[in-house]
Amino acid sequence: MKDQSSVVEILKGQFGDAIQGSEVFRDQLSVLVSPEGIAEVCAFCRDDDRLKFSMLTDLTAVDFLPRAPRFQVVYNLYSFRDNDRLRLKVPVEENQTLSTVEGVWRSANWLEREVYDLFGIVFEGHSDLRRILLWDGYVGHPLRKDFPLHGVPQKVVYR
Amino acid sequence: MGVENHLPPVLTVPLEKAVSWARKNSIWPATFGLACCALEMMVASSASYDIARFGAEVFRPSPRQSDLMIVAGTVTKKMAAMVEKIYNQMPDPKWVIAYGTCACSGGIFNTYNTVQGVDQFLPVDVYVPGCPPRPEALLAAIIKLQAKIGNEKFSDRPDTEGRLIA
């Protein structure tokens, strides 16, 4: 098990300003990262020998509607070698794009498609960014806070 | 073939009874487990609950070889097109059991992607509420369906030109 403060030290030492803060909640470490450098931070987390977070277990987003920045994309990382977890949180504005981490972990392909489908966050550099859970002509992004629960009437029906 | 259109009633009634007896005691379900209710449906074919007593242990993977579709689980709007396609691929006579509250009426999900009951686009014969219903409820539904099939007459199922199908 790595020491959690040392993970933050290593990241801050490498990236300085891109690391905007960290918090520990019930032994879970979350690090706030700025959106510009996220692909480099992720590649560093995967490749650096002291960290070795080789698995992206989840990539989701949260909508904090009245607050700005509106979204926060969350990357949950896991290290097999050390049995250790890390969470990276990236604040994203409403129409801001984020660079993809598909080159770092291939599983991010579908995970980013899911975030695009349900929240509308566009990932630059993604090889195939289209809807994955809902059908292609669907209008709206359901997991946003201003989307009604019952959905909006759709013109295109899945066929 | 139309033979039954020309038989006198004294022969038709026992023929109807024989045909419906054969149909009801060998209902072959098509596996259509979509969500959690699928597990209860699978358990119903296990040793403790034994759906084989009712002739239904042969869960055909192909809809073309089955005559009962047990819709077990939540039907999403994206999946509804495929459920309908599979139903259309089943040959007549065919029956539908809506197993679980999501298939009966949408269940607890009244959201942007759930169909509020599979009877929005399919003719359902037996509804089984529950979340999930116990496997014994599925067996009770099969028994009820067997009673329904037992009372069927040839005139209930005409083909597209109005002839009676045996």
Side-chain angles (χ1 to χ4, degrees), chain A residues 11-127:
Chain A
L11 287 172
K12 278 202 170 130
Q14 179 78 12
F15 293 104
D17 281 343
I19 309 296
Q20 290 166 356
S22 73
E23 65 169 344
V24 177
F25 174 73
R26 300 187 94 171
D27 291 338
Q28 297 173 14
L29 173 64
S30 313
V31 175
L32 211 59
V33 181
S34 81
E36 284 76 35
I38 186 63
E40 285 85 30
V41 175
C42 287
F44 181 74
C45 288
R46 185 193 61 170
D47 296 328
D48 184 75
D49 202 50
R50 296 162 289 180
L51 301 177
K52 268 275 186 255
F53 286 107
S54 49
M55 179 174 180
L56 175 72
T57 58
D58 198 10
L59 202 174
T60 59
V62 187
D63 182 5
F64 293 105
L65 178 53
R67 237 173 64 176
R70 182 175 180 179
F71 299 109
Q72 205 178 63
V73 177
V74 181
Y75 298 74
N76 287 300
L77 310 181
Y78 176 68
S79 162
F80 284 111
R81 184 191 68 179
D82 303 321
N83 188 16
D84 200 18
R85 296 180 187 269
L86 176 65
R87 187 174 298 131
L88 301 176
K89 298 188 183 181
V90 183
V92 177
E93 295 282 347
E94 170 134 13
N95 287 319
Q96 186 182 1
T97 64
L98 203 53
S99 74
T100 182
V101 293
E102 193 189 346
V104 183
W105 296 286
R106 302 287 264 153
S107 53
N109 188 335
W110 274 19
L111 294 169
E112 286 176 352
R113 274 179 68 184
E114 183 185 1
V115 172
Y116 166 68
D117 186 6
L118 298 172
F119 287 94
I121 298 173
V122 176
F123 290 88
E124 270 172 51
H126 196 273
S127 59

Side-chain angles (χ1 to χ4, degrees), chain B residues 113-136:
Chain B
N113 201 16
T114 36
V115 175
Q116 300 300 297
V118 79
D119 56 1
Q120 301 273 335
F121 56 93
L122 284 187
V124 177
D125 294 293
V126 184
Y127 295 85
V128 189
C131 192
R134 282 198 57 93
E136 290 109 334

Side-chain angles (χ1 to χ4, degrees), chain A residues 118 132-135 138 142-143 147 149-151 158-159, chain B residues 76-82 84-85 110-113 116:
Chain A
L118 298 172
I132 189 170
L133 294 170
L134 294 162
W135 57 95
Y138 195 86
L143 253 55
F147 191 86
L149 176 63
H150 304 288
Y158 186 74
R159 269 284 168 259
Chain B
T76 55
K77 290 184 182 161
K78 197 168 177 182
M79 192 66 186
M82 284 168 263
E84 201 182 328
K85 198 182 275 193
N110 188 0
T111 63
Y112 54 91
N113 201 16
Q116 300 300 297

Side-chain angles (χ1 to χ4, degrees), chain A residues 128-147:
Chain A
D128 187 19
L129 196 66
R130 56 192 164 100
R131 287 187 179 271
I132 189 170
L133 294 170
L134 294 162
W135 57 95
D136 285 319
Y138 195 86
V139 174
H141 297 284
L143 253 55
R144 292 188 170 195
K145 290 283 190 270
D146 50 358
F147 191 86

